[in-house]
Amino acid sequence: MKEGLRQSMALLHTWTGLLLGWLLFAMFASGTSAYFQDEITRWMQPEVTGDADPVSSAESAVRFLQRTAPDAASWYISPPNSRSATTQVFWQPGDGSPGKRGETSAVLDQSGKEVSARETRGGFFLYRFHFDLHYMPVLWARYLVGVAAMFMLVAILSGIITHKKIFADFFMLRFNKGQRSWLDAHNVTAVIALPFHLMITFTGLVTLAIMYMPWGVAANYAERSTYQEAVFGKSEDVARSGEAAPLAALGPIMQSASAQWDGKRVGYVRVTNPGDANATIAITRAPEGGIGSRGEEVSFNGVTGQPVSESMAKGPALATESVMIGLHAGRYAEYGLRWLYFLSGLGGTIMVGSGLVLWTVKRRTKLPDPNRPHFGFRLVEKLNIATIAGFPAGIATYFLANRLLPLGLADRADHEIDSLFLAWLAVLAWALVRPSARAWPEMLGLTAALFAAVPLVNGVTTSRGLPMSLLAGDWLFVSFDLVMLLLAAGFAKGARRAARKRAEGPRPIRRKSQEAVAA
């Protein structure tokens, strides 16, 4: 019975890992990069230098908004932090319309001047892609991502049941052993960060649980707004009085809120009815101030600066959800823990990729003619090449496009994103027309060359290349370029091994006799 269970779990593990494995690889790769999304954005806007004080930056942002949008219904200010040097401001027009992107937002420096940096969506795009995808309706994308995450969770749990020597194989990583090496790579990357893989998959599902399972809310609340009020509290929208009044100084208010949170940083500022006697200022704690993603909020009278109310205490369900989302996003993590998140995510990406390759390696020896596989086998192999080499090649191209596209190009940020998918599509096209044995080293080599080109192009097109950054102590740019070179080295090593395997040719297939199998 035990062996029957393991065999059933092995079959379940194989197919749940394969069917959406290509999407899971892209989700893991982009989600892993998103742990440094702010740093990626800073690299992709090399014009932005130095650091900024959050309080003075927020006060300068208020002066900017008073000049730019004095009649707005509300202002939103995201001050700089240890990972971002700019202030993000948004405003809602007084007529209540959402406004057009670019016309209701700005990026400011500490003095309140608009930053003349290149247009890019930076690391934020990679973060959004890992659960919103692209070129398709967001609702469809999130359902597809949810199905993929559920498949991943089933694959992890069935893999645990299937794996007999889960702890012994943790120490086994043999190279140049064909199928055994792929299995070792899959096992080690799966086991070494197994708690992380379970956590990140489960919490990813929890993040969008209400969308995936809305029946509980529908059964207990006649309207969605009633549910929102019960969970988050009733929003009191105060209308403008029509009486002009100066806005209270923002600095003391931010310091007062921070003091209530034991010195934790302010993350967001929302000003409602600015310039009116009924103005209110809501201060929200930064996500980095606690493991829960939903920070505490304190409201102040916008004219007198006196505290008005605090956010409603979280119930057990909301507190649990807040912690789950916080664990998944990792915004609370300092740099040491953030790197651990990143390395664990990288291990998860390798786990998925090695599992996809292992599927073909294990089945090739069982084919009647391994040199002429059937269509389904060839399709899996082509998709493996297109995903494992193609998606990273697209990310490298995304970075290169940031440096090479004209700065004044219309819709520049969209063109950067398009370049990622065009490169990914090009690798797929190449994989479809070339023999797989040749396409593997060619596309892995191309990906290595693209990643290696990123620091070189950065050094040519900006004054913040690797040598200059080392001399200036610009560790963000140094770290970024070194990570690009390490990725290039990893893909180059994979390309060399794939080329060596092709040069050796197919190995003779050893088939066990029926008597040996029976024994």
Side-chain angles (χ1 to χ4, degrees):
M1 179 65 182
K2 181 185 288 187
E3 289 303 317
L5 174 63
R6 281 207 176 98
Q7 290 173 357
S8 299
M9 290 296 103
L11 186 65
L12 183 63
H13 178 79
T14 297
W15 289 103
T16 53
L18 175 71
L19 292 177
L20 289 176
W22 304 287
L23 175 60
L24 282 168
F25 182 91
M27 288 166 56
F28 252 99
S30 56
T32 298
S33 67
Y35 289 123
F36 288 103
Q37 62 169 305
D38 291 335
E39 289 77 9
I40 291 173
T41 300
R42 291 191 69 170
W43 185 89
M44 295 180 75
Q45 290 185 322
E47 299 84 0
V48 179
T49 58
D51 297 314
D53 176 66
V55 174
S56 61
S57 297
E59 291 177 329
S60 298
V62 168
R63 291 192 291 271
F64 170 85
L65 290 166
Q66 286 173 334
R67 296 191 306 269
T68 306
D71 299 323
S74 54
W75 299 337
Y76 301 88
I77 303 171
S78 179
N81 52 51
S82 59
R83 301 173 58 200
S84 174
T86 58
T87 304
Q88 313 284 327
V89 295
F90 309 88
W91 58 93
Q92 183 180 16
D95 59 6
S97 65
K100 297 181 180 178
R101 191 176 72 178
E103 296 178 359
T104 57
S105 63
V107 180
L108 311 176
D109 62 15
Q110 181 168 316
S111 65
K113 294 180 181 178
E114 287 196 69
V115 176
S116 57
R118 65 192 65 195
E119 182 192 359
T120 181
R121 290 180 64 190
F124 182 72
F125 166 73
L126 296 173
Y127 161 69
R128 296 292 300 193
F129 173 80
H130 100 278
F131 62 93
D132 278 351
L133 306 182
H134 201 59
Y135 301 128
M136 65 185 302
V138 170
L139 188 62
W140 295 4
R142 292 189 178 185
Y143 275 119
L144 181 59
V145 165
V147 172
M150 183 58 72
F151 274 38
M152 181 70 182
L153 187 61
V154 171
I156 291 173
L157 295 175
S158 58
I160 293 171
I161 297 172
T162 303
H163 208 128
K164 294 181 180 179
K165 302 176 181 179
I166 190 168
F167 294 108
D169 285 349
F170 175 80
F171 301 98
M172 300 294 290
L173 184 56
R174 289 157 285 193
F175 298 99
N176 300 317
K177 298 294 183 181
Q179 178 180 326
R180 183 70 250 182
S181 296
W182 284 110
L183 184 59
D184 285 349
H186 184 67
N187 289 340
V188 168
T189 53
V191 174
I192 197 170
L194 179 59
F196 172 84
H197 298 149
L198 283 167
M199 179 275 291
I200 210 69
T201 306
F202 179 73
T203 55
L205 287 166
V206 170
T207 300
L208 300 173
I210 292 179
M211 190 186 87
Y212 299 142
M213 298 183 294
W215 310 288
V217 174
N220 290 278
Y221 297 93
E223 296 182 5
R224 187 64 177 264
S225 59
T226 308
Y227 162 76
Q228 295 285 347
E229 290 177 8
V231 175
F232 302 106
K234 188 174 182 180
S235 177
E236 298 290 346
D237 295 326
V238 180
R240 282 181 172 271
S241 67
E243 180 184 349
L247 191 69
L250 197 56
I253 291 177
M254 292 176 63
Q255 292 167 355
S256 173
S258 179
Q260 292 188 45
W261 304 324
D262 298 323
K264 294 174 182 175
R265 192 181 62 82
V266 170
Y268 312 101
V269 178
R270 184 180 76 253
V271 180
T272 306
N273 301 326
D276 189 82
N278 283 343
T280 58
I281 300 175
I283 309 291
T284 305
R285 175 183 59 77
E288 67 191 42
I291 196 170
S293 64
R294 300 186 186 276
E296 297 88 348
E297 184 176 285
V298 182
S299 295
F300 296 82
N301 184 293
V303 177
T304 66
Q306 296 301 309
V308 175
S309 65
E310 296 185 13
S311 56
M312 186 177 68
K314 299 181 182 70
L318 187 61
T320 301
E321 183 221 32
S322 178
V323 170
M324 291 288 184
I325 296 174
L327 281 170
H328 186 86
R331 295 189 182 95
Y332 68 95
E334 297 293 339
Y335 274 107
L337 183 56
R338 191 174 298 278
W339 275 108
L340 185 59
Y341 261 89
F342 178 83
L343 293 173
S344 299
L346 190 62
T349 307
I350 296 172
M351 174 188 68
V352 175
S354 60
L356 291 170
V357 173
L358 185 61
W359 191 94
T360 58
V361 171
K362 288 179 66 175
R363 281 156 183 76
R364 185 178 291 279
T365 58
K366 299 177 183 179
L367 295 171
D369 184 356
N371 295 320
R372 295 189 178 184
H374 55 77
F375 172 77
F377 184 94
R378 293 199 310 273
L379 178 63
V380 171
E381 200 163 38
K382 301 294 185 182
L383 290 176
N384 284 351
I385 298 169
T387 303
I388 297 171
F391 187 70
I395 292 178
T397 303
Y398 179 59
F399 296 146
L400 289 170
N402 175 262
R403 291 296 191 259
L404 297 174
L405 288 175
L407 297 183
L409 181 66
D411 299 322
R412 189 179 190 278
D414 292 333
H415 288 299
E416 286 183 359
I417 295 169
D418 292 339
S419 71
L420 186 158
F421 292 98
L422 288 173
W424 193 0
L425 182 63
V427 173
L428 171 62
W430 189 263
L432 291 175
V433 301
R434 294 285 284 174
S436 296
R438 292 181 179 273
W440 269 118
E442 291 167 350
M443 292 300 94
L444 289 173
L446 172 66
T447 304
L450 289 171
F451 275 114
V454 173
L456 298 176
V457 173
N458 174 56
V460 172
T461 58
T462 73
S463 61
R464 302 177 74 176
L466 185 55
M468 296 300 294
S469 296
L470 279 169
L471 292 174
D474 192 349
W475 301 117
L476 188 151
F477 271 64
V478 170
S479 300
F480 191 97
D481 285 355
L482 289 179
V483 169
M484 293 297 103
L485 293 174
L486 286 173
L487 288 172
F491 280 103
K493 185 175 183 180
R496 285 196 302 272
R497 293 203 171 187
R500 187 185 308 144
K501 182 178 178 181
R502 183 179 70 82
E504 292 173 355
R507 296 183 179 181
I509 302 172
R510 298 179 181 178
R511 301 186 184 277
K512 296 181 180 180
S513 64
Q514 293 296 327
E515 293 80 11
V517 173

